[in-house]
């Protein structure tokens, strides 16, 4: 298994949990860490949210000691605010600061943030340079292939990031226009890898160990970022690491193991977010966890109705009993 060096931070392996707003919160990151993820990316945080002490921001910034190494991602497009906020939070226990240049959501893009920066490489360079100067911790950048098909500029952006002091770059092989649809273009990852010396982390459509191996062969990338493939499947890191090591596939977790994971995740979620929010948030995770298991379809609608941990537990026990009887 390859390690990965990002500035002064050494990752034990080169598998990265990609940042996902609404998904890669503290409980989920801890579960992915347990399963072997080499780097955990937090949910994106607005630099302006930090500046104005937005009440939701504190929870987004919470980090557990067990997480290291962990990457905190800021979004924003004002070089002054981005660098100042990076400095303001630098004492917090994250290891790497990442800058979001890929978010496609209109609310973000219309402010000139996220993937809008793909359209403004000069400004992107200024943000990176000022942030790198402001803090000691390594600064990385996450970009897309381009803004749209007429503006494919990941290579230019990566060179600017490198020249501005970025310690690594993650490339999602889709344009902003594509959002998350269609197939990720891995060739753009190869082009970026050939253009810069800093580590390049490939991203887009890694769902299995074979995908990671194929991405490595096709692009030469230094690390693999897995986002949606980890939804309901924190085991993906262990599965890929095992395959890298032995060439053999691990068995998919049994229904009992899957249910135990949901319940543990749910307990952590309720503890971290409170009972009301926690149970609502765990519904989508539970639906993801059960995907692909026999007789799970009949669970889905009921999952969306559970109002407490007890109801969730009761539902899942019923599912296991039904499975046992009908297997
Ligand atoms: C629900 C969701 C939330 C996301 N939030 C972020 C985010 O906060 N910051 C970011 O850089 N990318 C975000 N992404 C993009 C992912 O990190 C990743 O680039 C993308 O999903 C492609 O990788 P995948 O095919 O492995 O999912 C998000 C993706 C999803 C599906």
């Amino acid at each position: 298994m390859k390690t990965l060096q990002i500035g002064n931070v050494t990752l034990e392996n080169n598998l990265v949990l990609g940042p996902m707003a609404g998904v890669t919160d503290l409980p989920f990151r801890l579960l992915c860490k347990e399963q072997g993820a080499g780097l955990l990316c937090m949910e994106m945080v607005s630099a302006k949210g930090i500046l104005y002490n937005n009440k939701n921001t504190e929870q987004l910034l919470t980090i557990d000691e067990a997480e290291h190494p962990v990457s905190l991602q800021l979004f924003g497009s004002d070089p002054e605010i981005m660098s100042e906020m990076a400095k303001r939070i630098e004492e917090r226990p994250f290891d790497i600061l990442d800058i979001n240049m890929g978010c496609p959501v209109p609310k973000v893009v219309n402010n000139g943030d996220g993937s809008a920066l793909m359209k403004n490489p000069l400004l992107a360079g200024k943000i990176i340079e000022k942030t790198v100067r402001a803090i000691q911790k390594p600064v990385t950048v996450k970009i897309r292939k381009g803004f749209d098909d007429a503006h494919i500029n990941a290579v230019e952006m990566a060179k600017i990031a490198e020249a501005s002091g970025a310690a690594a770059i993650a490339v999602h092989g889709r344009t902003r226009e594509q959002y998350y649809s269609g197939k990720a273009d891995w060739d753009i990852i190869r082009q970026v890898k050939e253009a810069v010396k800093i580590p390049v982390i490939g991203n887009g459509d890694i769902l299995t160990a074979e995908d990671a191996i194929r991405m490595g062969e096709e692009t030469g990338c230094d690390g693999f970022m897995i986002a949606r493939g980890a939804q309901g499947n924190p085991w993906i890191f262990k599965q890929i690491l095992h395959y890298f090591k032995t060439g053999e596939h691990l068995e998919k977790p049994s229904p009992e193991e899957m249910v135990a994971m949901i319940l543990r995740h749910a307990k952590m979620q309720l503890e971290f977010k409170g009972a009301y929010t926690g149970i609502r948030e765990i519904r989508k995770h539970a639906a993801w966890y059960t995907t692909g298991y026999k007789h799970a379809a009949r669970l889905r609608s009921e999952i969306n109705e559970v109002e407490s941990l007890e109801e969730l537990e009761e539902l899942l026990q019923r599912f296991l009993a039904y499975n046992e009887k009908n297997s």
Side-chain angles (χ1 to χ4, degrees), residues 18-24 42-45 73 98 100-104 142 144 172 174 180 184 203-207 225-229 231 288:
M20 285 183 280
V23 181
T24 56
M42 299 166 69
E43 305 169 83
M44 64 180 193
V45 182
Q73 187 186 60
D98 187 50
N100 181 320
M101 300 200 177
C103 180
K142 182 160 176 281
R144 281 183 175 245
H172 176 196
R174 283 188 181 84
Y180 299 103
N203 171 235
D205 299 344
I206 301 176
L207 296 175
M225 179 179 279
I226 297 153
R228 287 167 302 173
Q231 289 176 345
W288 287 328

Side-chain angles (χ1 to χ4, degrees), residues 220-235:
C221 65
D222 304 282
F224 304 100
M225 179 179 279
I226 297 153
R228 287 167 302 173
Q231 289 176 345
N233 187 17
W235 298 280

Side-chain angles (χ1 to χ4, degrees), residues 16 28 31-32 34 148 157 188 202 235 262 267 272 288 308:
V16 179
F28 186 62
L31 295 175
C32 290
E34 277 179 17
D148 55 31
M157 289 286 289
I188 196 76
W235 298 280
I262 298 181
K267 279 178 195 140
F272 186 57
W288 287 328
S308 67

Side-chain angles (χ1 to χ4, degrees), residues 70-88:
V70 58
S71 165
L72 188 153
Q73 187 186 60
L74 286 185
F75 74 94
S77 50
D78 182 320
E80 197 66 38
I81 297 178
M82 287 289 276
S83 55
E84 279 302 311
M85 292 311 108
K87 203 157 129 189
R88 186 182 290 185

